[in-house]
Amino acid sequence: MILTVTLNPSLDSIYFTETFVLGEMNRCGNPVKAVGGKGINAGRTAAILGAKVTAIGVLAGINGDFIRSALNKEPFFATHFLSISGESRNAVTVMDQEKNQTEIVELGPEITADTAEKVLNLVIDLSKKQKKEPILALCGSANTENDHLYQHYLEQLGGISKVLTDISGKQLKNILNSPVKPYFIKPNIHEFAELLHTTIKNKNDVIAHLTQPLIKDIPFVLVSCGSEGAIAKYKDRIFDVSIPAIDAINPTGSGDATVGGIAFALDQGFSIEETLRYGMACGMSNALEQAVGFVSTDNVEQLKKRIILRDV
Ligand code: ADP
């Protein structure tokens, strides 16, 4: 069983334009509309691959109603979303013909202490019902004044689930400083640089920083590097993960799909090599779709064969 938590789902609109010029009128066709949120996307990916998934989170206002009805129509996973006050956020992406991507992302409804506890209790209940330790993916931002929210979740949930996180900023730093460690983190290369307050330009820089005290006790660290693949640290091994060049259509959500692929493979008990292949193939398969947080099982199977792992 895989559980995902999304405290800030979004209503995504993706506009494909010929050009996008700041300060000018930019005309475009109708957007691709989709339900977004890192945990939802990761959960959908894992479910498409065949995992049993429950997506948990919060929804608010008219956007929340829209998201809820869209999720109800999805055949892939079960959902438990609490209604809260405010408005679930809009996230707008503009992609021009040169694949420049511009995003406008709202803050989202506030996660109060009460809401945070309700979600936590829901996850605890669902986790305890499972026969086998569930995989729990805590994903994405939360509009909260509590910078230790995810740390609190980790401390409460780490003993009953295998916790994967795809978060950034202060929330990430605080879980890394927590006495209870997550099993897996997936910063992208920019988030990794921000985390370590340093400049990281390429994979060699990533490798050089993998021994930093902040991350040395995390069993599985995946620093994703977009079209360059990723660098992974698993226990005492480091992998340079190379991926083939593809003609990406929309890489939005590729990191989420990567987390979904990793969650699926861990839930299946696959080897670290196979797990990394699933993560990368899912990120790439997502990039080959216009839809966000969506993968094709055929593409994943084909792409997996083209991923090269090198022990560093
Ligand atoms: P995030 O979406 O979290 O910023 P990345 O951009 O690093 O994460 O993407 C995650 C993974 O998705 C990459 O490691 C890679 O496997 C795949 N991916 C992302 N963008 C591309 C791309 N343009 N071409 C091929 N694969 C991509």
Side-chain angles (χ1 to χ4, degrees):
M1 168 60 106
I2 296 170
L3 305 173
T4 72
V5 173
T6 312
L7 293 175
N8 215 351
S10 56
L11 185 51
D12 294 347
S13 301
I14 303 124
Y15 293 88
F16 294 89
T17 63
E18 277 187 23
T19 57
F20 179 68
V21 187
L22 269 184
E24 287 195 11
M25 155 84 83
N26 293 274
R27 292 198 183 275
C28 58
N30 293 333
V32 174
K33 289 237 173 204
V35 166
K38 284 176 177 286
I40 292 171
N41 292 339
R44 184 185 298 108
T45 300
I48 290 171
L49 295 177
K52 198 171 161 219
V53 176
T54 299
I56 299 155
V58 295
L59 291 170
I62 294 170
N63 283 348
D65 292 342
F66 182 95
I67 294 170
R68 190 184 297 282
S69 86
L71 285 176
N72 286 342
K73 286 185 203 132
E74 289 202 29
F76 309 114
F77 44 39
T79 54
H80 277 275
F81 280 82
L82 305 179
S83 293
I84 61 168
S85 57
E87 187 67 45
S88 289
R89 64 195 172 135
N90 293 292
V92 176
T93 301
V94 181
M95 178 89 78
D96 72 17
Q97 271 191 338
E98 283 173 11
K99 306 265 160 68
N100 293 312
Q101 194 170 310
T102 307
E103 293 181 52
I104 301 174
V105 181
E106 296 174 11
L107 207 53
E110 191 192 347
I111 304 300
T112 62
D114 181 52
T115 298
E117 282 311 294
K118 282 187 181 140
V119 173
L120 175 62
N121 288 332
L122 190 57
V123 180
I124 290 174
D125 283 354
L126 283 168
S127 299
K128 285 189 173 162
K129 276 190 192 141
Q130 309 309 317
K131 290 193 197 100
K132 193 183 111 189
E133 180 188 51
I135 307 281
L136 169 65
L138 303 174
C139 303
S141 67
N143 179 12
T144 171
E145 285 177 357
N146 178 7
D147 293 337
H148 296 266
L149 188 152
Y150 281 121
Q151 181 188 348
H152 175 55
Y153 276 19
L154 182 64
E155 286 169 4
Q156 299 301 309
L157 295 160
I160 52 174
S161 57
K162 187 172 264 186
V163 180
L164 323 184
T165 69
D166 184 6
I167 60 179
S168 57
K170 286 182 188 156
Q171 298 280 357
L172 175 58
K173 186 154 249 178
N174 288 334
I175 64 158
L176 296 178
N177 282 319
S178 157
V180 183
K181 303 292 178 198
Y183 179 76
F184 168 86
I185 61 171
K186 193 218 77 65
N188 65 28
I189 191 166
H190 312 293
E191 292 161 346
F192 190 61
E194 182 199 13
L195 177 72
L196 301 176
H197 298 289
T198 186
T199 306
I200 293 189
K201 291 204 193 92
N202 52 39
K203 283 176 151 186
N204 285 337
D205 293 347
V206 174
I207 293 167
H209 285 88
L210 279 176
T211 49
Q212 291 271 339
L214 196 59
I215 52 169
K216 88 175 188 339
D217 295 329
I218 313 297
F220 188 0
V221 178
L222 184 72
V223 182
S224 64
C225 307
S227 59
E228 300 283 305
I231 297 292
K233 174 180 97 75
Y234 179 70
K235 298 183 178 165
D236 54 0
R237 295 175 71 184
I238 292 176
F239 296 91
D240 180 348
V241 190
S242 301
I243 61 175
I246 55 165
D247 204 0
I249 293 172
N250 179 15
T252 310
S254 281
D256 313 344
T258 297
V259 173
I262 298 278
F264 167 76
L266 291 174
D267 193 43
Q268 298 290 313
F270 291 159
S271 67
I272 181 61
E273 290 84 356
E274 191 67 352
T275 300
L276 290 171
R277 285 193 192 100
Y278 264 105
M280 289 297 99
C282 286
M284 294 171 74
S285 177
N286 174 81
L288 287 171
E289 307 278 337
Q290 273 206 350
V292 174
F294 193 86
V295 295
S296 127
T297 48
D298 285 350
N299 278 347
V300 171
E301 285 311 312
Q302 290 307 317
L303 290 165
K304 237 161 34 79
K305 296 179 195 149
R306 301 172 61 200
I307 287 154
I308 297 165
L309 304 178
R310 186 174 64 85
D311 265 293
V312 177

